[in-house]
Amino acid sequence: LALPKKPIITRYADTLICSNSNGVMYQWYKNNIMIPGATKRKYVPTVPAYYSVRVDSPYSCPSTSDPMAINNIGIRNTLSSINVEALPNPFILNITIIINEIFTAPVIIDIYSVEGKIIKHLQSTAKETVVPTDDLAGGIYFVKVTTDKGSGLLKMIKE
C-alpha cells in the first residue's frame, strides 16, 4: 500500500475541511478523542479545542492530520447596524446580551430557530440583559437585538 498524503485541515468560516478528497472514510477528533458521527470531509466545531481528522482509503494506509486549534466559535455579526454581543457562545443555561452603544429604550430581543421561527421574544431597557435559555434544545439559533439605532443579528450555538 502507498503512503497517503497527510491530510491538512483548512478553516472556512465556521467549517473545517479536510484536504484529502480521495479518502473513503473520514473520522474527526477533538483533543485526540473520536467525535461520534463526525465522518464527513467537512466538520463544524461547536466548542474551542484541538481538532484533527483521520482519512482511511482502501488504496493506502490511514493518515491523520496535525491538530488545528480552534478557539473562536460561533459569534458572527452577520447583519449588524449596532454594536451588540451575546455571551457565552456556545451557551448552556442563558445568554447575556450586551449593547455596546448609547440607545433609547426599549430593546427588543428575539431568538429564532434555524428555520426562522421566533422561539423567544422579550423587551428590556438595560445595556446588559440575561436571557434564560434552559428551555431551548441544543442547536444553532439566531439572536436579533433591535434598538432605536438599528439591529444586530448574532449566530449562537446551544450545547
Side-chain angles (χ1 to χ4, degrees):
L1 291 177
L3 285 175
K5 279 187 182 174
K6 184 177 213 168
I8 297 169
I9 299 172
T10 52
R11 183 174 184 181
Y12 181 76
D14 60 354
T15 303
L16 302 180
I17 303 166
C18 176
S19 62
N20 292 31
S21 59
N22 60 349
V24 173
M25 293 177 288
Y26 301 92
Q27 180 59 63
W28 288 88
Y29 292 81
K30 177 176 74 178
N31 297 332
N32 290 323
I33 298 169
M34 187 172 69
I35 304 168
T39 57
K40 305 272 189 244
R41 185 173 173 217
K42 297 178 182 180
Y43 180 72
V44 178
T46 57
V47 294
Y50 287 93
Y51 291 89
S52 57
V53 63
R54 174 184 160 137
V55 179
D56 284 310
S57 160
Y59 312 110
S60 65
C61 300
S63 185
T64 302
S65 70
D66 289 329
M68 175 182 265
I70 301 296
N71 42 24
N72 53 340
I73 298 285
I75 294 182
R76 304 272 183 278
N77 281 359
T78 48
L79 298 167
S80 292
S81 57
I82 60 169
N83 185 350
V84 62
E85 297 177 77
L87 303 168
N89 196 6
F91 63 94
I92 297 172
L93 295 176
N94 53 49
I95 300 171
T96 302
I97 307 290
I98 304 162
I99 301 167
N100 296 312
E101 59 184 63
I102 297 166
F103 62 92
T104 308
V107 174
I108 296 165
I109 300 167
D110 290 316
I111 299 180
Y112 293 87
S113 67
V114 177
E115 296 82 25
K117 180 180 166 207
I118 292 184
I119 306 291
K120 284 189 178 280
H121 172 83
L122 54 131
Q123 286 191 10
S124 174
T125 56
K127 211 169 164 49
E128 272 191 33
T129 304
V130 176
V131 180
T133 60
D134 51 330
D135 57 331
L136 299 182
I140 297 173
Y141 294 90
F142 293 94
V143 178
K144 184 177 181 186
V145 180
T146 307
T147 71
D148 61 325
K149 302 286 193 267
S151 64
L153 185 64
L154 302 166
K155 180 179 174 183
M156 303 288 297
I157 297 169
K158 165 110 187 217
E159 288 189 325

